[in-house]
Amino acid sequence: MSSTLNGRQEIHRWCRNFPGTKTQIGEARRFVNNYLGDRPATYTAELVVSELATNAIHHTRSGQSGGRFGVTLHAGTTQLILAVHDEGGPSTPHLRQAENTDQSGRGLHLVESLTTKWGIHGDEGGRTVWALIPLGRIA
């Protein structure tokens, strides 16, 4: 168990920025893993950050040359707020219906099914997509 999350009433916050490249999605997963350690919610949080970071680099200016995305984690005693910040773009993230043969379009459905709640804040100048993930009680 990570010593980072050892208090009962404390809220912990970690932030990190990543270059907007595909190789950094794995780094974002490791960042989440280092923060949460060995707990049941870790795999879920890694999957959610992977989906949101992938969307950031594929659908926003974060994926362009010199682009970046950020990951912020806020953990309380029972919930994790996981947020991915991007550099914005012309389209707003939304749930869409992917066809069986589509190679993409299922990520936000996965995020919706794995989290308590998720949402979007921002505009074409930059957005944050956030998700609430239950942690269970932290001893």
Side-chain angles (χ1 to χ4, degrees):
M1 187 174 283
S2 171
S3 60
T4 305
L5 300 176
N6 59 6
R8 290 181 177 263
Q9 300 301 320
E10 298 172 12
I11 296 176
H12 301 270
R13 179 176 178 240
W14 273 21
C15 301
R16 183 170 165 199
N17 289 317
F18 300 87
T21 63
K22 290 180 186 179
T23 60
Q24 293 301 300
I25 295 168
E27 290 300 315
R29 288 177 69 105
R30 279 186 278 290
F31 173 70
V32 168
N33 183 285
N34 288 336
Y35 181 71
L36 290 175
D38 184 25
R39 38 181 107 253
T42 301
Y43 178 75
T44 298
E46 287 177 321
L47 191 53
V48 169
V49 79
S50 181
E51 291 297 332
L52 297 181
T54 297
N55 283 353
I57 65 169
H58 284 208
H59 302 294
T60 76
R61 286 186 291 276
S62 291
Q64 295 177 358
S65 179
R68 302 182 71 72
F69 68 93
V71 177
T72 301
L73 305 168
H74 293 269
T77 56
T78 62
Q79 293 263 350
L80 172 72
I81 302 170
L82 185 155
V84 173
H85 320 282
D86 65 47
E87 295 184 341
S91 63
T92 301
H94 63 280
L95 293 171
R96 67 179 206 124
Q97 188 61 43
E99 299 297 324
N100 289 340
T101 57
D102 288 347
Q103 295 293 315
S104 63
R106 295 171 185 83
L108 288 178
H109 284 284
L110 184 61
V111 169
E112 185 167 79
S113 71
L114 292 173
T115 64
T116 305
K117 189 174 185 176
W118 71 277
I120 303 159
H121 178 74
D123 57 26
E124 64 277 351
R127 289 187 184 84
T128 300
V129 182
W130 56 268
L132 296 177
I133 299 170
L135 290 175
R137 298 289 310 167
I138 298 173

